[in-house]
Amino acid sequence: RTPGYGITPDRFVRVAHLLPRQRGNVAVDNHTFVNALLWMCRTGAPWRDLPECYGKWVTVYQRFDRCPERRDMYFVKSVFRV
């Protein structure tokens, strides 16, 4: 169970198209990844403090670091507008 910072599956559908399609065996699904980003943005905590319910912090961080959408922050702004 995620702490109360996440978005519902209904709202996630509105931003899911902004994420790259998942392929293969992924450690953190897109919905969990988005909720992890929201938790990070809302708490301002360091990556190492990410709750385990979002997956391993290093996995989430590496995915964020590789995500081209983070460079213009359009993706994160879209999530917050949901």
Side-chain angles (χ1 to χ4, degrees):
R1 175 129 167 93
T2 57
Y5 293 102
I7 61 173
T8 64
D10 293 342
R11 289 183 175 220
F12 173 72
V13 171
R14 296 182 194 172
V15 295
H17 69 280
L18 298 171
L19 289 164
R21 192 170 70 193
Q22 289 182 226
R23 288 179 250 180
N25 185 15
V26 294
V28 178
D29 63 69
N30 282 342
H31 187 214
T32 303
F33 175 68
V34 169
N35 281 332
L37 291 183
L38 288 172
W39 187 88
M40 293 298 300
C41 290
R42 289 179 177 169
T43 64
W47 284 102
R48 289 180 186 264
D49 290 346
L50 186 69
E52 289 183 21
C53 60
Y54 296 118
K56 294 179 182 177
W57 74 266
V58 71
T59 303
V60 176
Y61 171 75
Q62 287 173 342
R63 185 167 172 190
F64 173 75
D65 192 49
R66 294 178 186 147
C67 183
E69 288 83 4
R70 76 178 175 86
R71 288 178 178 81
D72 65 8
M73 295 305 287
Y74 174 76
F75 170 73
V76 175
K77 289 177 184 177
S78 296
V79 170
F80 280 115
R81 277 186 272 156
V82 172

